[in-house]
Amino acid sequence: MEDQTDPAGPAPASTPAPTPASAPVRLDAAAGRPLHPAALEVLDAALARGWADPRALHRPGRDARLLLENAREVVAGSLGVRRDEVRFTSPVDAVQRGLLGLARARLDAGARDLVLAPVEHAHVRHAASWWAQVHGGAVHEAPVGRDGRVDLDALERLARAPGTAAVALQLANHEIGTTQPVGAVALPSSVDLFVDGSASLGLLDLPREGWAAAAGHATSWGGPGGVGVLLVRHGARWLNPFPGDPGPQDAGGALPDAPLALAAAAALRGTLAERAEVDARRRRLVDRIRATAATLPDVDLVGDPDDRLPHLLTFSCLYLPGDALVRELDRHGFAVASGSACTASTLEPSHVLAAVGALTHGNVRLSLAPEVTDDDVERLCHVLPDVVARLRAEVGL
């Protein structure tokens, strides 16, 4: 009998900038962070044991399959779903197949239109646009308020329109942190809900009911960056929108990576075990930064101050480019992000900030890694006013 042991296991502006050898304070955790210790603990052993194709019938294949099934069991238990509802794939594939699989299941009934919020992640928006081009449907966007929360009445009204195939709504926004009322969405029986939890699974809980498919990204809970989780509810109307077998499969039918799936599962369980303590502290630290930013002139705080991700804050500084703020804060030892056009891979401003009517340039996104301390935040709050004032003086303001 094969071993069934669960391997997932248990400073002012005048202050000199830190030397290059100094480790920066991680305030860009939304874009990636070091692996959770629980993931590191299992990864080496999993790589040694799970290198084979888990679909193979030989002993190495069975070993890899056991790791994959253990990972599935841990993720299912952590997220409150059935183990046969969990699939491991890439993060982008989880989003695309999750949403478009719901739409594909309604295509034969003549439903081709998709409904979403304008603040959805680009992966969702691109998938919806591709679907509309290929299948002749339309993409309808429900408006959002100044805080980034969707107008629920408008969303449900669009969902009731003839020809609607599926609705997409994120669990929380990746740029401004605002949570969405996914548990309160009331859709007609012919329309299913896709929930994008790529920025928030492990930090927020999925509703028990009301959704048919969901996607997660392991980086949100300290897992490997290449691992995505696709959740398709048992009995949901879902068909593979791309070539391949009609049902949901690991890696979309390609070769799944069992060791990385197990590391992602271990990280998820470890993150959930410490979430209450870690996120309460991060929420308090974000509130401290928010209070400091609010005292600065011509600064726009973006997103809901309360119903938000616990570790994330975005603010925009009038008259300043975001890249200048990023570089200057980096000089002082703080790794932050900006959604402004000059630091993005395209020349387009942030569609999220544009949708909520915020400044699309001069913005800074802070997302605190779990290890960020009170001293780190106090030093940031000490430095930030001088950094903003000096940069404005340099441009003659």
Side-chain angles (χ1 to χ4, degrees):
M1 181 174 180
E2 293 184 11
D3 179 15
Q4 295 296 316
T5 301
D6 183 355
S14 59
T15 300
T19 64
S22 300
V25 179
R26 295 189 185 97
L27 303 178
D28 189 19
R33 48 177 270 208
L35 286 177
H36 190 283
L40 290 172
E41 185 178 343
V42 305
L43 190 53
D44 283 346
L47 287 169
R49 183 178 175 185
W51 52 267
D53 184 343
R55 300 167 299 187
L57 299 180
H58 49 60
R59 178 57 184 266
R62 296 197 303 272
D63 282 348
R65 186 161 62 252
L66 179 61
L67 296 188
L68 191 64
E69 290 308 314
N70 281 337
R72 202 185 317 279
E73 185 74 31
V74 170
V75 169
S78 299
L79 298 180
V81 299
R82 295 167 46 134
R83 71 183 284 167
D84 62 353
E85 295 174 340
V86 177
R87 297 293 182 274
F88 295 102
T89 184
S90 74
V92 175
D93 187 71
V95 169
Q96 293 176 339
R97 289 184 193 271
L99 171 59
L100 301 184
L102 298 179
R104 174 63 186 87
R106 296 285 298 143
L107 187 60
D108 292 342
R112 290 175 168 81
D113 296 350
L114 298 174
V115 175
L116 47 87
V119 294
E120 297 295 314
H121 193 281
H123 294 328
V124 172
R125 293 163 59 85
H126 292 161
S129 177
W130 176 87
W131 173 267
Q133 293 173 13
V134 170
H135 296 288
V139 179
H140 303 288
E141 293 187 343
V144 295
R146 185 67 174 79
D147 58 3
R149 187 160 291 106
V150 72
D151 182 331
L152 194 55
D153 289 339
L155 184 82
E156 293 172 348
R157 184 167 58 252
L158 288 169
R160 291 192 296 268
T164 300
V167 173
L169 188 62
Q170 61 195 187
L171 195 58
N173 189 262
H174 53 291
E175 288 191 37
I176 62 176
T178 298
T179 59
Q180 297 290 359
V182 295
V185 179
L187 301 179
S189 60
S190 60
V191 178
D192 288 319
L193 177 66
F194 167 75
V195 177
D196 180 18
S198 299
S200 51
L201 275 188
L203 302 172
L204 302 175
D205 294 328
L206 279 167
R208 291 290 181 177
E209 305 293 340
W211 55 275
H217 192 324
T219 55
S220 72
W221 62 74
V227 178
V229 172
L230 170 62
L231 307 175
V232 178
R233 303 309 295 265
H234 181 73
R237 294 170 298 201
W238 190 98
L239 289 175
N240 185 3
F242 306 131
D245 291 338
Q249 293 182 302
D250 290 309
L255 179 64
D257 193 317
L260 289 186
L262 188 68
L268 177 59
R269 188 161 66 182
T271 293
L272 291 178
E274 63 197 19
R275 184 174 73 176
E277 177 183 354
V278 170
D279 286 353
R281 180 171 56 81
R282 291 199 289 184
R283 185 174 289 274
R284 173 175 55 79
L285 294 178
V286 166
D287 286 342
R288 173 73 178 96
I289 302 170
R290 190 180 186 91
T292 297
T295 67
L296 304 179
D298 298 315
V299 167
D300 183 16
L301 292 162
V302 189
D304 194 296
D306 301 310
D307 295 329
R308 57 170 173 81
L309 290 171
H311 69 309
L312 193 146
L313 168 67
T314 293
F315 59 88
S316 298
C317 298
L318 192 61
Y319 313 123
L320 289 182
D323 62 330
L325 285 164
V326 170
R327 285 196 297 266
E328 188 62 17
L329 288 173
D330 182 58
R331 195 177 72 85
H332 286 280
F334 299 100
V336 306
S338 174
S340 59
C342 53
T343 58
S345 59
T346 71
L347 296 180
E348 295 297 322
S350 162
H351 70 276
V352 172
L353 298 181
V356 302
L359 293 171
T360 57
H361 294 77
N363 63 82
V364 174
R365 183 185 68 177
L366 308 177
S367 47
L368 280 62
E371 69 271 15
V372 172
T373 67
D374 287 57
D375 288 345
D376 294 331
V377 168
E378 286 306 314
R379 188 163 66 88
L380 173 70
C381 291
H382 187 59
V383 166
L384 184 61
D386 291 316
V387 166
V388 172
R390 178 150 44 83
L391 289 175
R392 282 178 170 159
E394 290 176 0
V395 295
L397 297 173

